Structures are given as structure tokens and as C-alpha cells.
Amino acid sequence: MAQYIMSLDQGTTGSRCIIFSLDGALKAAQSMEYPLFYPRPGWVEQDPYDILTSQLSVAKKAVETAEIEWSEIAALGITNQRETTILWDRKTGKPVSNAIVWQCRRTAEDCAKLKENGLEATIRQKTGLLCDPYFSATKIKWLLDNIEGLRQRAQRGEILFGTVDTWLIWNLSGGKIHATDYTNASRTMLFNIHTLSWDEELLRLFDIPPEILPTVQPSCSFFGMTDASVLGAALPISGVAGDQQAALFGQCCFEEGELKNTYGTGGFLLMNTGTSPVNASGGLLTTVACDVEGKVHYALEGSIFICGAVIQWIRDGLGLISSASESEEVAKVAPDNGGVYLVPAFVGLGAPYWDPYARGAIFGLTRSSNKHHIVRAAIESMAYQTYEVISAMESACGIKISSLKVDGGAAKNDLLLQFQSDILDIEVVRPYCFETTALGAAYLAGLATGLYKNTEEIRMLAQKSNIFRSNMSDVDRKKLIAGWHNAVHRTLNYDIYEKTD
Ligand code: ADP
């Protein structure tokens, strides 16, 4: 009988379900969008029931379109948007409020106070994270402080906390399992990444009752069975990981020094640093990666705030192209950047600068500059930003990287990937299957249930890919990088108005 793995990929704007056959081929995919709510400027929420019902609905549709029986699915993997925070009633399963989404800035002041009180170093040392509203801890505290009677109910053990994976596992198991995995736990700012346990000192600091916390276990392990009445069959939930860590695993970055970049709306670079954490600085984070052959791995993570979004901006903001894919042919008309650099610091800059006051700019314009140069400069900006994060990672861990694996919407752009390879002077590898996040969760689930023997077997499955190799002289590379540095430094610390507000 055929065997398949189902992967639930729960993202910020929608739910996806992908069914893979054991050779990693995509059998069926279904997705559904659902709304985000913005109740006040800077606040972002979601209805936990939207998350759940959309996820269940795409799972059922995927089985229909695959034309298979539920009994043919041998394992279930879950991957999800990270940090988003949900609290619910242990007895009724009813959420106490909307989910607070990772993007929500409502606790910015709380984080600023923690920094003023000199607590950032402790948080950094224990969790590998920067003190930022992005992570779950201050979101949980906000709910406990702002919903009447909630803290007392939590102390009485009536309330449960979960990131989106935990919320799904709880509901899929019919309210039996309250669990998360190391990768998701490592994004809460409450989890000690060295001891791999909830940190008592941080729980005291954020005034969070330990009773609400889920149990934590490796990504590649058995979490429990789904309740047959929820999905249509009792399936083993056996792979769980946050989206970026799942993509790292789906790209087969199992060993120290292997890294991937996802060129989505933003850019997410993760590098496997092996079985011990590397101290991060300059906007890089240290985080837990999926376990490999029973051993916990760590990763360095760097985010680029505006990656593919720069292409949306030249399409919608400037009207220079009519679709994202057109960017490549428009850029190709110019043989090079003609000295033009576009720094897309629209919302400040992420790693390695971490400067909220940087603002975007186009530099090097002359009378001969034209739209082709600007579109090319936009594409190249994704590559320069990636180059800078990789350089920061190389110096943090003293490893020279030799290959970069890529995915995400903008990785369809050959011009970008060729230029990326030229600027980094390493090979850039694009897999044929772009669904690396869902694939990562499927691999984890398949490994934990014995469908795959080991990661070596998985590596053999994933061999098909496009490889881009550097074709640029050292002199040209150095010149271009110097031009980018010149441009980017002129955008730093720019927004004096926001600073004086
Ligand atoms: P996310 O999951 O973050 O929403 P995706 O991985 O779907 O994003 O990628 C979407 C991004 O990729 C958009 O910002 C879009 O501008 C960009 N993009 C899509 N196709 C291309 C292309 N051919 N060239 C350059 N950028 C592209």
C-alpha cells in the first residue's frame, strides 16, 4: 500500500497542507488565506479558530485532491509561524482572546524598559534572542496583565499557553496533548537554549506562572495521535518545527556550516552551527535548530526586513514593472548596475546593522541612469543584504561558507541567484521543490516514525537542484561590494524625525 506524509504548514497569512510521497514528491497541495486584524496602529491579531479551521479544511481538501484514503497517510508533520501567542481555557478549549501575532509591537515599551534595566544581556545569554516585542514572553505577560482575572485563573492551572504548533496539536489531539518542540520554544524568550528547559529566572522576570507552559520535546519525536474525529483518522504527530527551522531541515542543512536563505517578503538566513550554540551579535540570533539523529542542533539566524518586498515596491510604488517575475527581463536590459545602488531600508535595517532609524535611498544616479538600472539595483539589493548577513555569520563562528541553499518567492529569479553567487563567490543551490518548509516537517515526521532510516537517506532524495556558480572577477566583486557599503552607510541613523518623536 502507498504511504504518504501529511505536512501542515501554518503561516502568517494562511494555512497550507501538502501531502508528500515518501520519495519527497508532492502529491497534493491546498492552501487557504485568512484575515489578520489591526485593532490599533502597530497591533496585529488573528482569530485562533481561523487558524484551526483553515488548517483542518485544507488538510481535508488535500486528501480529496490526492485521491487517497486517510489510512494511507503514515505520519503528520507540523510547521508554523513562530512566536505568535495564544492562551486558552484548559477545560473548554476556548481562547481567552485573539492570538497576538509575532509582528505585533504592543509590548515595545515593556521591552524598552527591560533594556533600560540592563536585562538584555541576561535574556541574550539564556535565550539567544534580542529583547524585542517580536518574541512571545511579553505578549503572554500583556494578556495576563490586561484580561481581568486571567492571572488568577492561570495560577489555578486553568489556562494554557501555546505557540501555533501547540494550539494545533492540542486541538488535533482532541485536547489531550499540550506540547511544543525545542525550535518553537526557543522563540518564546522563556526557554533556556543551553539547558533546553523553561527558565525559572525568566519566568519570574516576566511574571509568568509555569502552570501554563507546554511540555517541550525534540522536533523529530512522537507527540501523540490525532483524534480520529478531528481529521478523519488517528495519525501520529511526529514532526514539529518553527517555519524557518523546518525550511533549514527541508533544505537538508543537517551539518555544521550548512545554511539556507529564504527570499520571501523578508529574508531569513539560518545557518546550522552544529551541536553547540554560537554567541550571536549585531542583530544575529542564536536559536535551536531541528535535532539530527537524536542530537540537538543550533543555528544562527539573521533576518532581512525587506527582501522580495523591494520588488513589490518597484512594481506598486514606482510602477517600473507590472509583475514581480518581469523584474528579471527588465533588469537584464542593463548589462550592469551603471553605478546605481538601491538600499531598501524602508523599515530600518535588520541584521547585521539592526538600525530602526535607517531609511531607504537610491544612490549613484547620473544622467544616463534609467529604469533598467533601478530594477537591477533592486534585485541586487537582495543579494548584497544576504552577503552582509553571511559575512556576519562567518565571523561569528569562524567558518568559511562554501554553498548557499535558497528558496522563497524571489529565488525564482535567475538573475538574482547568479548575482548572489558572483557576490559571495560560492555556489548557490536552488532545489526543484520550493516547498522546503513543508518538506522539512514531512522529513521530521518520516524520520520519527521510521519511514526514513536516517538523514543520509533523505539527502539522497533531495539531490535534484539548479546550481549557480560564480562568474565574476575579484576586482569587480570588490568594487561592487565597496559601492554597496558606501551606499548603505549613508542610510544609517537617518530618520531624525522618528528619533525626536
Ligand atoms: P512570503 O512567504 O514571505 O509571503 P514568498 O516566498 O511567497 O513570500 O515570496 C514572495 C516575494 O517574492 C514577493 O515579495 C515578490 O515580490 C517576490 N518575487 C516573486 N517572484 C519573483 C521574481 N521572479 N523575481 C523577484 N522577486 C520575486
Side-chain angles (χ1 to χ4, degrees):
M1 189 161 112
Q3 284 195 312
Y4 299 97
I5 305 176
M6 174 178 273
S7 201
L8 303 181
D9 179 359
Q10 208 301 309
T12 310
T13 53
S15 296
R16 290 170 71 65
C17 174
I18 303 195
I19 297 176
F20 293 100
S21 45
L22 291 192
D23 62 0
L26 194 149
K27 176 81 176 161
Q30 286 290 328
S31 58
M32 186 186 274
E33 291 199 359
Y34 57 80
L36 286 150
F37 305 112
Y38 306 97
R40 291 194 203 173
W43 289 31
V44 190
E45 296 182 357
Q46 278 168 348
D47 181 342
Y49 282 126
D50 282 344
I51 294 176
L52 177 65
T53 52
S54 60
Q55 196 64 75
L56 295 179
S57 154
V58 290
K60 288 173 186 165
K61 276 199 204 137
V63 170
E64 273 166 40
T65 39
E67 298 183 339
I68 59 170
E69 299 295 328
W70 280 99
S71 54
E72 291 176 87
I73 298 171
L76 179 74
I78 296 176
T79 175
N80 56 289
Q81 52 166 318
R82 305 173 300 174
E83 299 103 12
T84 295
T85 297
I86 308 174
L87 296 183
W88 67 93
D89 186 296
R90 183 194 288 270
K91 264 208 192 107
T92 63
K94 210 169 156 267
V96 302
S97 69
N98 272 343
I100 304 184
V101 176
W102 57 273
Q103 293 160 329
C104 187
R105 308 293 300 172
R106 78 181 62 181
T107 56
E109 271 183 29
D110 304 322
C111 290
K113 270 192 210 126
L114 288 166
K115 282 192 218 166
E116 270 167 34
N117 294 340
L119 290 161
E120 189 163 44
T122 307
I123 293 174
R124 180 72 129 162
Q125 189 276 324
K126 286 173 178 258
T127 67
L129 306 174
L130 292 162
C131 181
D132 196 276
Y134 198 97
F135 306 106
S136 315
T138 56
K139 299 181 198 291
I140 305 175
K141 179 168 172 13
W142 190 93
L143 288 171
L144 293 170
D145 289 344
N146 285 278
I147 298 180
E148 216 189 308
L150 190 63
R151 184 175 293 284
Q152 290 73 18
R153 287 170 66 200
Q155 280 158 348
R156 288 199 298 268
E158 296 169 18
I159 299 295
L160 300 179
F161 153 73
T163 39
V164 167
D165 55 313
T166 307
W167 169 244
L168 290 177
I169 295 169
W170 170 265
N171 282 286
L172 286 167
S173 67
K176 288 198 191 73
I177 305 160
H178 186 223
T180 190
D181 81 300
Y182 291 150
T183 68
N184 276 295
S186 76
R187 314 297 294 189
T188 58
M189 215 155 79
L190 297 171
F191 191 70
N192 189 315
I193 60 170
H194 307 280
T195 60
L196 297 174
S197 58
W198 299 115
D199 190 276
E200 282 174 24
E201 187 187 347
L202 293 177
L203 289 171
R204 272 198 304 278
L205 178 68
F206 290 105
D207 202 7
I208 290 174
E211 292 80 3
I212 69 172
L213 298 171
T215 52
V216 196
Q217 59 185 78
S219 302
C220 184
S221 65
F222 176 66
F223 286 74
M225 300 299 286
T226 65
D227 187 306
S229 67
V230 181
L231 264 186
L235 304 175
I237 305 171
S238 47
V240 176
D243 50 11
Q244 297 308 322
Q245 285 94 334
L248 187 70
F249 203 80
Q251 286 271 26
C252 298
C253 296
F254 304 133
E255 280 170 33
E256 182 178 345
E258 292 189 297
L259 84 166
K260 68 93 196 170
N261 188 23
T262 301
Y263 299 84
T265 308
F268 280 99
L269 269 136
L270 261 78
M271 173 173 155
N272 188 330
T273 60
T275 51
S276 42
V278 168
N279 285 336
S281 60
L284 295 178
L285 306 176
T286 309
T287 202
V288 182
C290 299
D291 43 302
V292 180
E293 322 292 5
K295 288 205 186 89
V296 168
H297 277 234
Y298 291 88
L300 277 176
E301 175 169 325
S303 18
I304 298 166
F305 296 155
I306 300 289
C307 190
V310 69
I311 304 298
Q312 290 168 320
W313 180 71
I314 56 164
R315 182 191 64 194
D316 306 335
L318 297 186
L320 296 182
I321 50 173
S322 57
S323 66
S325 58
E326 202 196 340
S327 63
E328 185 165 350
E329 54 195 86
V330 172
K332 262 189 193 152
V333 175
D336 54 39
N337 71 358
V340 177
Y341 292 87
L342 192 164
V343 184
F346 304 147
V347 289
L349 284 171
Y353 299 101
W354 213 263
D355 179 357
Y357 305 115
R359 284 299 173 268
I362 302 176
F363 292 96
L365 296 173
T366 63
R367 188 64 186 81
S368 62
S369 306
N370 58 41
K371 78 166 185 176
H372 305 289
H373 294 118
I374 294 175
V375 175
R376 186 178 261 276
I379 293 175
E380 291 181 355
S381 73
M382 296 190 264
Y384 288 121
Q385 293 185 93
T386 303
Y387 159 82
E388 295 220 79
V389 179
I390 292 181
S391 302
M393 286 180 172
E394 285 184 328
S395 35
C397 62
I399 295 176
K400 178 86 189 90
I401 284 145
S402 60
S403 170
L404 171 69
K405 305 204 173 144
V406 298
D407 51 45
K412 288 181 211 135
N413 191 312
D414 287 1
L415 186 113
L416 164 64
L417 298 191
Q418 183 55 52
F419 188 72
Q420 186 70 81
S421 172
D422 289 341
I423 284 299
L424 286 167
D425 198 19
I426 60 174
E427 61 171 34
V428 171
V429 181
R430 176 176 64 196
Y432 286 155
C433 176
F434 258 52
E435 298 286 356
T436 50
T437 309
L439 199 52
Y443 287 159
L444 289 166
L447 278 164
T449 43
L451 296 166
Y452 301 119
K453 275 201 298 293
N454 50 34
T455 46
E456 221 22 67
E457 189 181 340
I458 288 173
R459 233 187 243 286
M460 303 301 287
L461 297 176
Q463 275 183 346
K464 285 193 202 144
S465 52
N466 284 313
I467 300 181
F468 296 81
R469 292 193 174 84
S470 171
N471 196 8
M472 186 180 271
S473 71
D474 279 349
V475 174
D476 287 347
R477 182 179 308 113
K478 282 200 181 115
K479 208 170 128 206
L480 286 167
I481 292 172
W484 167 260
H485 280 147
N486 185 10
V488 86
H489 280 103
R490 285 164 201 267
T491 71
L492 296 177
N493 207 19
Y494 181 79
D495 193 343
I496 49 168
Y497 299 106
E498 183 161 309
K499 277 189 287 184
T500 51
D501 264 354

